[in-house]
Amino acid sequence: MDFAYDDRTRELIAEVSAFMDSYVHPAEETFHRQLDQLENRWQWDSVPVLAQLRAQARSRGLWNLFLPDERGAGLTNLQYAPLAELSGRSLHLAPAVFNCAAPDTGNMEVLNQFGTDEQKQQWLQPLLDGSIRSAFAMTEPDVASSDATNISLSIVRDGDDYVINGRKWWITGAMNPNCAIFIVMGKTAPDAERHRQQSQILVPRDTPGLEVLRGMRVFGYEDNNHGGHAELRFTDVRVPASNLIAGEGDGFAIAQARLGPGRIHHCMRSIGVAERAVEMMCDRVSGRSAFGKPLSDQGVIRDWIAESRVRIEQLRLLVLKTAWLMDTVGNRGAHTEIQAIKIATPQTVQWILDKAIQAHGAGGLSQDFSLAEAYAGIRTLRFADGPDEVHKNSLARAELKKRAAT
């Protein structure tokens, strides 16, 4: 294994770091102020400062860095990893600045890999340009969606159309009116083999019968900066058969192809969240005193700082190993490691954020610091793209199978 960064990666790290320091971090306060001034706070990507930052990033070639072909920056997972980590240091702003924000990244990957030429022209290109937003509608309120084969929304062929009926919830980005297209997963063949029942189809936002019912809150936060998480209802929603992605029965395989890169991107960015939390913790305890001495001299706080550093380094090495394997043996070959980072990252970063909050005292719970909101966001990752327990069960099963073969 060789995790050393090549010349191009080192150049990009320097460029992205400089851009973050010169433009993104100084704009964070302005971004939140302009967001508060919006008539519709869900339309977060319409704030003027974000448009300015996106134009500056694109002019510098810091655009679509996640996409590993000619439509993007052509980077490997290992090359993209440190750049995604840097963007995680300003999680509500930087990924969008570089057009590398979820769920658009995963949807662009799906369209790039499985879409027809027409679908790419109509939906992928605007997403690559950053002129629209999108959502991925898989999770449902009436079934245990941790098992994706449970998805029950119906997609029924009717002549040259498909008719869609059902409900979805926790659909990230859907509250934003700029979310123009939904990739919807449902069942086209309920009686088929378990993993061939599902399909994925494109549904434009303005299609009759598609209703955005409400925004879902995360620990009380509305998560405006990601366009919210919505509950949707589909009532006799009719779209052309040409909106189907790949073929009938390919939905489960497409979902698995989408979730692998999505999981590692979340983990990469989360390391950036942890790094910034440690910096904030160090700054806070260095400037405050209690019981006659600086907080930074308290043994328990030094223990938190040391443990945080150890855990970040361990986590980063595991993520880099996973990225290297995805590049060298493919996503299927890296399946075990993808599961491992999905288990380890949210728990590790959640622990670090908890200590940073504790070090900040009551301020850590407030809106005056980013820690409480970051904690709520990281906690959602223990459900997003599959809950901890599903990944642990699969990982343990693989270990048992491997041992039984010896």
Side-chain angles (χ1 to χ4, degrees), residues 284-302:
R284 182 72 167 183
V285 301
S286 296
R288 299 172 79 87
S289 296
F291 305 105
K293 62 179 180 179
L295 290 177
S296 58
D297 288 348
Q298 303 286 350
V300 66
I301 289 178
R302 290 194 171 191

mmCIF file of all heavy atoms in Angstrom, residues 284-302:
data_model
loop_
_atom_site.group_PDB
_atom_site.id
_atom_site.type_symbol
_atom_site.label_atom_id
_atom_site.label_comp_id
_atom_site.label_asym_id
_atom_site.label_seq_id
_atom_site.Cartn_x
_atom_site.Cartn_y
_atom_site.Cartn_z
ATOM 1 N N ARG A 284 -10.437 26.812 22.487
ATOM 2 C CA ARG A 284 -11.320 27.132 23.606
ATOM 3 C C ARG A 284 -10.617 26.924 24.948
ATOM 4 O O ARG A 284 -10.650 27.790 25.828
ATOM 5 C CB ARG A 284 -12.568 26.258 23.527
ATOM 6 C CG ARG A 284 -13.613 26.505 24.618
ATOM 7 C CD ARG A 284 -14.331 27.815 24.407
ATOM 8 N NE ARG A 284 -15.519 27.913 25.261
ATOM 9 C CZ ARG A 284 -16.366 28.922 25.235
ATOM 10 N NH1 ARG A 284 -16.157 29.928 24.403
ATOM 11 N NH2 ARG A 284 -17.420 28.948 26.033
ATOM 12 N N VAL A 285 -9.976 25.780 25.104
ATOM 13 C CA VAL A 285 -9.376 25.467 26.413
ATOM 14 C C VAL A 285 -8.099 26.254 26.657
ATOM 15 O O VAL A 285 -7.674 26.414 27.806
ATOM 16 C CB VAL A 285 -9.115 23.954 26.565
ATOM 17 C CG1 VAL A 285 -10.409 23.173 26.418
ATOM 18 C CG2 VAL A 285 -8.067 23.456 25.575
ATOM 19 N N SER A 286 -7.488 26.758 25.595
ATOM 20 C CA SER A 286 -6.278 27.562 25.768
ATOM 21 C C SER A 286 -6.590 28.980 26.231
ATOM 22 O O SER A 286 -5.705 29.669 26.745
ATOM 23 C CB SER A 286 -5.494 27.619 24.454
ATOM 24 O OG SER A 286 -5.034 26.337 24.084
ATOM 25 N N GLY A 287 -7.825 29.392 26.045
ATOM 26 C CA GLY A 287 -8.176 30.771 26.369
ATOM 27 C C GLY A 287 -9.068 30.925 27.579
ATOM 28 O O GLY A 287 -9.542 32.033 27.851
ATOM 29 N N ARG A 288 -9.327 29.849 28.316
ATOM 30 C CA ARG A 288 -10.231 29.940 29.469
ATOM 31 C C ARG A 288 -9.630 29.209 30.664
ATOM 32 O O ARG A 288 -8.876 28.228 30.497
ATOM 33 C CB ARG A 288 -11.608 29.353 29.123
ATOM 34 C CG ARG A 288 -12.302 30.085 27.988
ATOM 35 C CD ARG A 288 -13.554 29.380 27.547
ATOM 36 N NE ARG A 288 -14.681 29.627 28.440
ATOM 37 C CZ ARG A 288 -15.504 30.670 28.318
ATOM 38 N NH1 ARG A 288 -15.316 31.565 27.366
ATOM 39 N NH2 ARG A 288 -16.527 30.819 29.143
ATOM 40 N N SER A 289 -9.956 29.684 31.853
ATOM 41 C CA SER A 289 -9.425 29.101 33.089
ATOM 42 C C SER A 289 -10.563 28.686 34.008
ATOM 43 O O SER A 289 -11.663 29.250 33.980
ATOM 44 C CB SER A 289 -8.530 30.102 33.820
ATOM 45 O OG SER A 289 -7.391 30.417 33.049
ATOM 46 N N ALA A 290 -10.289 27.682 34.839
ATOM 47 C CA ALA A 290 -11.247 27.231 35.854
ATOM 48 C C ALA A 290 -10.458 26.648 37.024
ATOM 49 O O ALA A 290 -9.443 25.972 36.814
ATOM 50 C CB ALA A 290 -12.209 26.198 35.287
ATOM 51 N N PHE A 291 -10.914 26.929 38.223
ATOM 52 C CA PHE A 291 -10.281 26.415 39.429
ATOM 53 C C PHE A 291 -8.795 26.750 39.495
ATOM 54 O O PHE A 291 -7.954 25.941 39.878
ATOM 55 C CB PHE A 291 -10.498 24.895 39.546
ATOM 56 C CG PHE A 291 -11.946 24.508 39.483
ATOM 57 C CD1 PHE A 291 -12.473 23.926 38.339
ATOM 58 C CD2 PHE A 291 -12.791 24.750 40.558
ATOM 59 C CE1 PHE A 291 -13.811 23.590 38.278
ATOM 60 C CE2 PHE A 291 -14.141 24.410 40.498
ATOM 61 C CZ PHE A 291 -14.654 23.828 39.359
ATOM 62 N N GLY A 292 -8.494 27.968 39.044
ATOM 63 C CA GLY A 292 -7.160 28.504 39.243
ATOM 64 C C GLY A 292 -6.129 28.157 38.196
ATOM 65 O O GLY A 292 -4.957 28.524 38.332
ATOM 66 N N LYS A 293 -6.519 27.467 37.118
ATOM 67 C CA LYS A 293 -5.535 27.181 36.072
ATOM 68 C C LYS A 293 -6.241 27.031 34.730
ATOM 69 O O LYS A 293 -7.447 26.766 34.673
ATOM 70 C CB LYS A 293 -4.720 25.926 36.403
ATOM 71 C CG LYS A 293 -5.510 24.634 36.502
ATOM 72 C CD LYS A 293 -4.577 23.467 36.817
ATOM 73 C CE LYS A 293 -5.325 22.149 36.928
ATOM 74 N NZ LYS A 293 -4.393 21.017 37.223
ATOM 75 N N PRO A 294 -5.478 27.219 33.639
ATOM 76 C CA PRO A 294 -6.096 27.115 32.307
ATOM 77 C C PRO A 294 -6.745 25.743 32.099
ATOM 78 O O PRO A 294 -6.245 24.725 32.601
ATOM 79 C CB PRO A 294 -4.917 27.309 31.345
ATOM 80 C CG PRO A 294 -3.890 28.037 32.146
ATOM 81 C CD PRO A 294 -4.045 27.549 33.553
ATOM 82 N N LEU A 295 -7.844 25.736 31.375
ATOM 83 C CA LEU A 295 -8.487 24.462 31.054
ATOM 84 C C LEU A 295 -7.533 23.525 30.317
ATOM 85 O O LEU A 295 -7.616 22.307 30.449
ATOM 86 C CB LEU A 295 -9.738 24.702 30.204
ATOM 87 C CG LEU A 295 -10.941 25.363 30.900
ATOM 88 C CD1 LEU A 295 -12.060 25.581 29.889
ATOM 89 C CD2 LEU A 295 -11.430 24.532 32.070
ATOM 90 N N SER A 296 -6.618 24.121 29.558
ATOM 91 C CA SER A 296 -5.673 23.299 28.792
ATOM 92 C C SER A 296 -4.708 22.524 29.687
ATOM 93 O O SER A 296 -4.040 21.592 29.221
ATOM 94 C CB SER A 296 -4.883 24.168 27.816
ATOM 95 O OG SER A 296 -4.194 25.197 28.507
ATOM 96 N N ASP A 297 -4.632 22.904 30.968
ATOM 97 C CA ASP A 297 -3.773 22.176 31.905
ATOM 98 C C ASP A 297 -4.514 21.062 32.626
ATOM 99 O O ASP A 297 -3.897 20.288 33.369
ATOM 100 C CB ASP A 297 -3.188 23.143 32.955
ATOM 101 C CG ASP A 297 -2.115 24.055 32.367
ATOM 102 O OD1 ASP A 297 -1.671 23.793 31.231
ATOM 103 O OD2 ASP A 297 -1.733 25.024 33.048
ATOM 104 N N GLN A 298 -5.822 20.983 32.414
ATOM 105 C CA GLN A 298 -6.613 19.939 33.074
ATOM 106 C C GLN A 298 -6.332 18.590 32.409
ATOM 107 O O GLN A 298 -6.407 18.441 31.185
ATOM 108 C CB GLN A 298 -8.107 20.258 32.968
ATOM 109 C CG GLN A 298 -8.514 21.604 33.546
ATOM 110 C CD GLN A 298 -8.526 21.624 35.065
ATOM 111 O OE1 GLN A 298 -8.400 20.590 35.709
ATOM 112 N NE2 GLN A 298 -8.667 22.819 35.644
ATOM 113 N N GLY A 299 -6.009 17.598 33.216
ATOM 114 C CA GLY A 299 -5.625 16.292 32.676
ATOM 115 C C GLY A 299 -6.700 15.655 31.838
ATOM 116 O O GLY A 299 -6.425 15.061 30.789
ATOM 117 N N VAL A 300 -7.963 15.787 32.245
ATOM 118 C CA VAL A 300 -9.036 15.144 31.494
ATOM 119 C C VAL A 300 -9.169 15.755 30.103
ATOM 120 O O VAL A 300 -9.423 15.046 29.119
ATOM 121 C CB VAL A 300 -10.373 15.240 32.271
ATOM 122 C CG1 VAL A 300 -10.853 16.687 32.393
ATOM 123 C CG2 VAL A 300 -11.441 14.386 31.595
ATOM 124 N N ILE A 301 -8.964 17.063 30.008
ATOM 125 C CA ILE A 301 -9.076 17.715 28.706
ATOM 126 C C ILE A 301 -7.900 17.339 27.817
ATOM 127 O O ILE A 301 -8.059 17.115 26.611
ATOM 128 C CB ILE A 301 -9.199 19.241 28.895
ATOM 129 C CG1 ILE A 301 -10.580 19.558 29.483
ATOM 130 C CG2 ILE A 301 -8.988 19.975 27.570
ATOM 131 C CD1 ILE A 301 -10.842 21.003 29.776
ATOM 132 N N ARG A 302 -6.722 17.243 28.386
ATOM 133 C CA ARG A 302 -5.572 16.783 27.597
ATOM 134 C C ARG A 302 -5.793 15.351 27.102
ATOM 135 O O ARG A 302 -5.377 14.994 25.995
ATOM 136 C CB ARG A 302 -4.296 16.879 28.428
ATOM 137 C CG ARG A 302 -3.863 18.318 28.671
ATOM 138 C CD ARG A 302 -2.455 18.407 29.194
ATOM 139 N NE ARG A 302 -2.011 19.799 29.219
ATOM 140 C CZ ARG A 302 -0.759 20.175 29.425
ATOM 141 N NH1 ARG A 302 0.185 19.261 29.613
ATOM 142 N NH2 ARG A 302 -0.425 21.452 29.429
#
